[in-house]
Amino acid sequence: SGIMAEGAGQDAKHAVFTRFAERHRKLLNAYVRRSPALLEGSLAPVLAHAKLIDFDNKRLYFRSKVRAHDEASHGGQRPYGTLRLAVRREHVFEDSFHQLRSKAPEEMRHKLNVTFQ
């Protein structure tokens, strides 16, 4: 019974937070725009509600995660090189898929250059 009451309390807190975040969406996004690190700190629970975050803030967050991954795995250096694809306009998806599926993860980080046939 105590576990169920605890779960109900968490659900109530979650509902209160969600209502607050929805009501103050513009203000939350303004704070995140000024300090994107908030999404990894005190405003991390907002990430569970992606619809509350403006697209620009989502993009900044995504790029910061990619940058952090690059720093951790490549010492901050982006891999050099170009990944070239030659695709037919009528079959862009299929041609791209067939050429990309055999590439190593490191190759996928290179600059993409697409040539249409």
Side-chain angles (χ1 to χ4, degrees), residues 18 22 25 29 46-55 58:
T18 302
E22 287 172 348
R25 181 174 181 250
N29 278 289
V46 176
L47 289 172
H49 305 281
K51 66 181 181 178
L52 297 175
I53 304 170
D54 289 344
F55 177 78
K58 289 177 189 174

Side-chain angles (χ1 to χ4, degrees), residues 55-68:
F55 177 78
D56 289 337
N57 286 335
K58 289 177 189 174
R59 185 182 60 209
L60 287 172
Y61 179 74
F62 176 76
R63 287 185 177 168
S64 74
K65 287 295 190 184
V66 169
R67 193 175 315 110

Side-chain angles (χ1 to χ4, degrees), residues 58-107:
K58 289 177 189 174
R59 185 182 60 209
L60 287 172
Y61 179 74
F62 176 76
R63 287 185 177 168
S64 74
K65 287 295 190 184
V66 169
R67 193 175 315 110
H69 179 270
D70 286 346
E71 288 173 2
S73 60
H74 300 105
Q77 299 293 318
R78 294 284 296 166
Y80 290 102
T82 302
L83 177 58
R84 298 180 192 280
L85 299 180
V87 298
R88 299 169 290 177
R89 287 188 188 273
E90 304 81 32
H91 302 281
V92 171
F93 180 77
E94 297 91 344
D95 290 352
S96 299
F97 174 77
H98 289 295
Q99 291 178 46
L100 291 173
R101 71 179 176 177
S102 63
K103 302 296 181 190
E106 285 303 313
E107 288 179 281

Side-chain angles (χ1 to χ4, degrees), residues 7-21:
Q10 290 295 337
D11 288 345
K13 287 180 183 178
H14 181 76
V16 169
F17 172 77
T18 302
R19 281 194 304 274
F20 174 84

